[in-house]
């Protein structure tokens, strides 16, 4: 989906000003309105600059030795191998024999290959082999994070007159650390909520008259529940926007509506990853996410069971309402090399609305990302594991690729139950339609070598929600999924990513 004809577009290495200026906003607006050829030209210039600096990088030394630079087209990016988190993390860290040493052997993953003194920020993310993966950023890299986050803050209409509550623990996980600094850079007053109980955070929101709340979708719902238990009327506070991240939900209508109805505030979705950067922000109609294509190159690939892949292709234009797109209504597609079903307009759009229009919807596929501004931790063709449905040709003002419904699920979380592909995010959307705030969890198990799924839901025994959800699951997924009620308060809570997905299957 890259334009094949190079187009010259002026681009220079960005510099970081003390605050977000009118010129900065103008540049972002210019990038958001570039046509596809101009955007690809901008990306190619940034990519070649990055690759010039990676000839000795341990992850890219070998492929670059066989590639002639500069690249003439983004299509040449496929000469690089795909990377996974295991590739980025490298071998497990080994304990040092010198207790006083500041670093142990293997402490820095191969992704972060610069001398230790080059880095000024340390975070960590969950690893792929049972230990956390350190995440390092140079000063320039962190400034790039802040620049990416400005797109999210633009979407939320945040300015220097706002007061933002960071309902976040401020531990070693990157979470909203970059958002915190981006808000400060914009001139917004930031109220840190680390180390506080949920009730204390709610009280601080009222006391400081916060207008913006940053948290996960789950925690926004949990805060609403605690407010209700303590007779706190959320409609009387000043919060008008809630920026959510860390887990799917902000672009799922049922979850977003549940948050908005209880807070009386607009929900703005965001997507990113510690090893990649802040790559996505909410579209103007809040139907999904845009990839920040001025700072990232996005590929959309469909894999078969053998690891072979092909690029996702646009399907035939279908009438679809940008207001009603959700994970359940996005069309799925079969395995690689099998015929693609176009689906009916009802399957694509759900209920009709006055905003119906014809757009070119791509196939459901895995998002593969190359970041273009994180020189101290460069990621080229990284498999995010995020399942999305790209739309290139749309009528939104921002011309970046649009992902209706945001992140629809995870490739590594997908279950195949009696021939049906099931993603936890799709199940959550169905549960939230009936129980917007109740805690629940999905449990995957294996019976006679077959994947099975069951749901535990915190509702009173007399509730009719269990039957309703089971019926919706049969209607939407064509599956019988047992739902059982458990005592209210018995399932674990978290202010970060909630552990709603329990996998009891045997490792392969």
């Amino acid at each position: 989906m890259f334009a094949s004809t190079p187009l010259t577009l002026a681009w220079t290495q960005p510099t970081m000003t003390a605050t977000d200026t009118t010129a900065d906003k103008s540049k972002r607006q210019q990038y958001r309105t570039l046509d596809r050829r101009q955007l690809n030209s901008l990306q190619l210039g940034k990519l070649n600059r990055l690759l010039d600096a990676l000839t000795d990088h341990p992850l890219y030394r070998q492929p670059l030795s066989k590639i002639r630079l500069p690249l003439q087209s983004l299509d040449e990016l496929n000469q690089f191998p795909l990377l996974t988190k295991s590739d980025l993390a490298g071998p497990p860290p080994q304990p040092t024999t010198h207790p006083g040493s500041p670093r142990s052997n293997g402490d820095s993953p191969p992704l972060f290959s610069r001398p230790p003194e080059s880095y000024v920020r340390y975070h960590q993310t969950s690893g792929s082999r049972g230990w956390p993966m350190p995440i390092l950023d140079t000063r320039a890299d962190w400034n790039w994070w802040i620049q990416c986050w400005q797109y999210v803050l633009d979407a939320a209409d945040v300015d220097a007159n706002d007061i933002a509550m960071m309902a976040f623990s401020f531990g070693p996980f990157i979470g909203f650390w970059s958002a915190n600094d981006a808000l400060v850079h914009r001139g917004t007053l930031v109220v840190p909520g680390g180390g506080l109980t949920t009730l204390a955070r709610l009280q601080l929101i009222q006391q400081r008259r916060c207008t913006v709340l940053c948290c996960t979708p789950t925690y926004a719902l949990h805060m609403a529940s605690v407010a209700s238990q303590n007779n706190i009327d959320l409609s009387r506070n000043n919060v008008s926007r809630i920026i959510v991240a860390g887990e799917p939900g902000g672009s799922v209508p049922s979850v977003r509506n549940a948050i908005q109805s209880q807070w009386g505030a607009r929900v703005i979705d965001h997507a990113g990853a510690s090893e990649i950067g802040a790559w996505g922000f909410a579209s103007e109609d809040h139907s999904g996410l845009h990839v920040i294509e001025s700072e990232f190159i996005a590929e959309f690939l469909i894999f078969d069971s053998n690891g072979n892949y092909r690029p996702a292709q646009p399907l035939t234009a279908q009438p679809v309402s940008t207001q009603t797109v959700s994970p359940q209504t996005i069309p799925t597609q079969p395995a690689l090399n099998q015929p693609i079903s176009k689906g009916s307009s009802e399957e694509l759009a759900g209920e009709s609305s006055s905003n119906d229009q014809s757009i070119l919807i791509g196939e459901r596929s895995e998002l593969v990302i190359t970041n273009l501004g994180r020189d101290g931790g460069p990621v080229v063709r990284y498999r995010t594991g995020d399942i999305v449905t790209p739309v290139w040709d749309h009528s939104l003002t921002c011309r970046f690729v649009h992902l209706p419904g945001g992140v629809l699920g995870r490739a590594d979380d997908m279950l195949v139950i009696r021939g049906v592909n099931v993603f936890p995010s799709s199940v959550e959307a169905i549960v939230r339609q009936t129980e917007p705030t109740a805690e629940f969890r999905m449990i995957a198990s294996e019976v006679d070598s077959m994947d099975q799924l069951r749901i535990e839901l915190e509702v009173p025994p007399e509730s009719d929600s269990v039957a309703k959800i089971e019926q919706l699951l049969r209607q939407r997924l064509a599956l019988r999924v047992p739902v059982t009620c458990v005592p209210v308060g018995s399932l674990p809570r978290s202010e970060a990513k909630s552990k709603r997905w329990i996998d009891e299957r045997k490792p392969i």
Side-chain angles (χ1 to χ4, degrees):
M1 297 305 299
F2 300 130
S4 58
T5 305
L7 181 68
T8 301
L9 189 69
W11 174 81
T12 56
Q13 178 71 16
T15 56
M16 194 69 168
T17 56
T19 59
D20 192 53
T21 66
T22 301
D24 295 328
K25 295 181 177 69
S26 177
K27 178 64 71 174
R28 291 194 298 272
Q29 179 60 25
Q30 177 189 358
Y31 286 160
R32 283 192 291 259
T33 56
L34 293 177
D35 64 32
R36 184 55 47 182
R37 288 180 64 247
Q38 292 172 319
L39 189 56
N40 287 169
S41 179
L42 175 70
Q43 292 173 320
L44 183 60
K46 289 189 174 187
L47 176 62
N48 278 321
R49 181 202 63 81
L50 176 67
L51 296 179
D52 278 340
L54 299 185
T55 53
D56 288 328
H57 195 287
L59 289 178
Y60 308 112
R61 186 184 302 118
Q62 183 174 355
L64 279 172
S65 67
K66 304 174 183 178
I67 296 173
R68 184 171 181 174
L69 298 178
L71 302 183
Q72 300 302 305
S73 167
L74 291 180
D75 291 328
E76 297 177 42
L77 189 59
N78 64 14
Q79 298 177 75
F80 287 85
L82 298 172
L83 297 177
T84 65
K85 182 172 278 192
S86 295
D87 297 319
L88 304 186
Q94 300 298 319
T96 177
T97 56
H98 304 287
S101 174
R103 290 179 180 269
S104 61
N105 181 29
D107 192 32
S108 295
L111 174 62
F112 307 104
S113 63
R114 292 189 175 186
E117 60 270 18
S118 301
Y119 297 98
V120 299
R121 303 293 298 230
Y122 173 93
H123 300 96
Q124 63 187 30
T125 184
S126 54
S128 58
R129 299 173 185 172
W131 64 89
M133 173 182 167
I135 299 292
L136 304 173
D137 282 288
T138 67
R139 189 176 304 279
D141 293 344
W142 195 247
N143 288 341
W144 173 77
W145 269 92
I146 292 173
Q147 291 174 28
C148 292
W149 252 98
Q150 298 306 323
Y151 284 91
V152 183
L153 301 182
D154 285 344
D157 298 316
V158 175
D159 61 30
N161 296 314
D162 282 304
I163 302 173
M165 159 57 75
M166 307 300 294
F168 166 62
S169 66
F170 287 95
F173 291 94
I174 203 164
F176 282 105
W177 275 107
S178 52
N180 182 91
D181 288 9
L183 286 160
V184 171
H185 180 71
R186 185 162 284 221
T188 304
L189 177 62
V190 178
V191 179
L196 300 179
T197 65
T198 299
L199 181 58
R201 287 170 176 164
L202 288 166
Q203 292 169 340
L204 195 54
I205 285 172
Q206 290 182 311
Q207 293 166 4
R208 302 312 310 165
R209 299 180 181 178
C210 295
T211 57
V212 176
L213 170 64
C214 295
C215 61
T216 65
T218 294
Y219 194 61
L221 291 171
H222 177 62
M223 291 181 80
S225 176
V226 173
S228 177
Q229 294 167 14
N230 289 273
N231 298 316
I232 296 175
D233 184 358
L234 293 180
S235 68
R236 301 189 62 172
N237 67 38
N238 290 12
V239 173
S240 59
R241 285 141 296 161
I242 302 176
I243 300 174
V244 297
E247 61 189 13
S251 294
V252 177
S254 56
V255 176
R256 187 175 69 249
N257 292 339
I259 297 172
Q260 291 181 160
S261 64
Q262 295 180 76
W263 279 90
R266 179 162 55 100
V267 171
I268 296 91
D269 200 7
H270 154 66
S274 302
E275 61 271 32
I276 304 170
W279 60 258
F281 65 95
S283 57
E284 62 196 50
D285 62 354
H286 300 287
S287 66
L289 295 168
H290 286 293
V291 178
I292 307 174
E293 291 190 275
S294 57
E295 304 298 335
F296 300 87
I297 296 172
E299 298 176 75
F300 305 93
L301 304 181
I302 297 174
F303 293 82
D304 67 12
S305 58
N306 297 318
N308 301 314
Y309 64 87
R310 63 172 175 84
Q313 299 295 323
L315 304 182
T316 303
Q318 297 281 355
V320 62
S321 166
T322 57
Q323 301 298 324
T324 58
V325 173
S326 67
Q328 305 97 279
T329 61
I330 296 296
T332 60
Q333 65 282 320
L336 186 62
N337 296 328
Q338 292 186 14
I340 297 170
S341 171
K342 302 297 190 292
S344 67
S345 59
E346 289 79 10
E347 290 171 329
L348 292 172
E351 298 177 359
S352 62
S353 80
S354 59
N355 295 311
D356 285 353
Q357 56 188 302
S358 291
I359 60 176
L360 209 56
I361 296 181
E363 302 172 87
R364 180 176 285 190
S365 46
E366 182 176 341
L367 175 63
V368 173
I369 276 188
T370 297
N371 59 19
L372 299 172
R374 198 183 193 184
D375 293 13
V379 171
V380 178
R381 302 198 80 203
Y382 176 69
R383 291 188 62 176
T384 66
D386 291 331
I387 301 300
V388 297
T389 301
V391 177
W392 295 274
D393 185 13
H394 53 74
S395 62
L396 298 168
T397 304
C398 177
R399 303 313 302 156
F400 294 162
V401 65
H402 184 227
L403 310 178
V407 175
L408 306 176
R410 294 283 305 169
D412 45 6
D413 282 347
M414 188 184 76
L415 282 166
V416 180
I417 301 177
R418 297 187 287 280
V420 178
N421 293 348
V422 178
F423 293 92
S425 59
S426 295
V427 175
E428 177 166 4
I430 293 171
V431 172
R432 289 294 177 224
Q433 183 174 333
T434 301
E435 284 290 343
T437 61
E439 193 59 52
F440 75 99
R441 65 180 177 181
M442 300 163 275
I443 302 173
S445 59
E446 187 176 301
V447 179
D448 296 330
S449 300
M450 299 275 294
D451 287 342
Q452 303 293 334
L453 180 66
R454 70 182 189 274
I455 296 173
E456 294 180 346
L457 178 70
E458 282 189 5
V459 292
E462 64 274 12
S463 172
D464 60 356
S465 294
V466 168
K468 289 181 178 179
I469 293 171
E470 287 182 335
Q471 182 178 5
L472 283 172
L473 290 167
R474 285 197 299 272
Q475 291 173 349
R476 304 278 180 80
L477 303 180
L479 284 173
R480 292 184 179 274
V481 178
V483 180
T484 57
C485 63
V486 297
V488 175
S490 64
L491 298 180
R493 265 76 169 169
S494 172
E495 68 183 46
K497 299 180 182 180
S498 285
K499 186 65 174 177
R500 294 202 179 98
W501 177 240
I502 308 298
D503 194 345
E504 297 179 345
R505 295 171 294 173
K506 297 178 181 178
I508 298 177

